Amino acid sequence: IELVLRIFALRMRFFLGEAGVNTLNLFDAFLVIVSCFDLYLFFLGQSSRAMNLNVLRPFRFLRLLRTLRILRSVRVFGKLNMLVNTVAASFMALFWSVVLLAIVMLMGAL
């Protein structure tokens, strides 16, 4: 429903932005169409014999990440943005902590 409303509201601007073809909107449209096709096959009971469209599930996650980009621009979520940036910055330290823990465990196992 959301895709249909966006196409109705934006008309050709949905496909063509100021800088040319809007690839993110085309990507969204592709995911929605494939999901609808997957549901159609599921309700027909032919999903086991038809092609496996579960491969596209990670791309749906990318669509969610695209939606979450909007939260960065909202002032209300400033503290949340700071928290997410802190967690993202600590991933490298977490990685090296896991490596050090694995080395200690390996030394203890010997």
Side-chain angles (χ1 to χ4, degrees), residues 14-78:
F14 180 80
F15 300 106
L16 299 172
E18 294 85 25
V21 177
N22 195 342
T23 56
L24 291 176
N25 283 344
L26 291 176
F27 177 69
D28 283 347
F30 172 74
L31 284 179
V32 169
I33 290 169
V34 168
S35 297
C36 290
F37 182 68
D38 187 30
L39 284 173
Y40 176 73
L41 289 178
F42 178 74
F43 284 125
L44 286 179
Q46 311 219 354
S47 62
S48 60
R49 286 179 260 141
M51 49 187 153
N52 188 6
L53 297 177
N54 289 333
V55 177
L56 298 173
R57 288 187 190 262
F59 293 114
R60 292 180 189 162
F61 181 71
L62 291 175
R63 185 174 185 222
L64 174 68
L65 288 178
R66 178 181 173 230
T67 306
L68 290 177
R69 281 189 332 187
I70 297 170
L71 294 179
R72 290 191 319 187
S73 63
V74 179
R75 284 197 183 281
V76 176
F77 297 113

Side-chain angles (χ1 to χ4, degrees), residues 6 11 20 54 57-58 63 70 77 86-87 96 100 105:
R6 281 179 32 201
R11 292 189 173 64
N54 289 333
R57 288 187 190 262
R63 185 174 185 222
I70 297 170
F77 297 113
T86 305
V87 169
W96 286 114
L100 181 63
M105 289 175 62

Side-chain angles (χ1 to χ4, degrees), residues 86-104:
T86 305
V87 169
S90 67
F91 276 131
M92 204 58 190
L94 178 65
F95 169 74
W96 286 114
S97 299
V98 170
V99 168
L100 181 63
L101 180 62
I103 291 172
V104 169

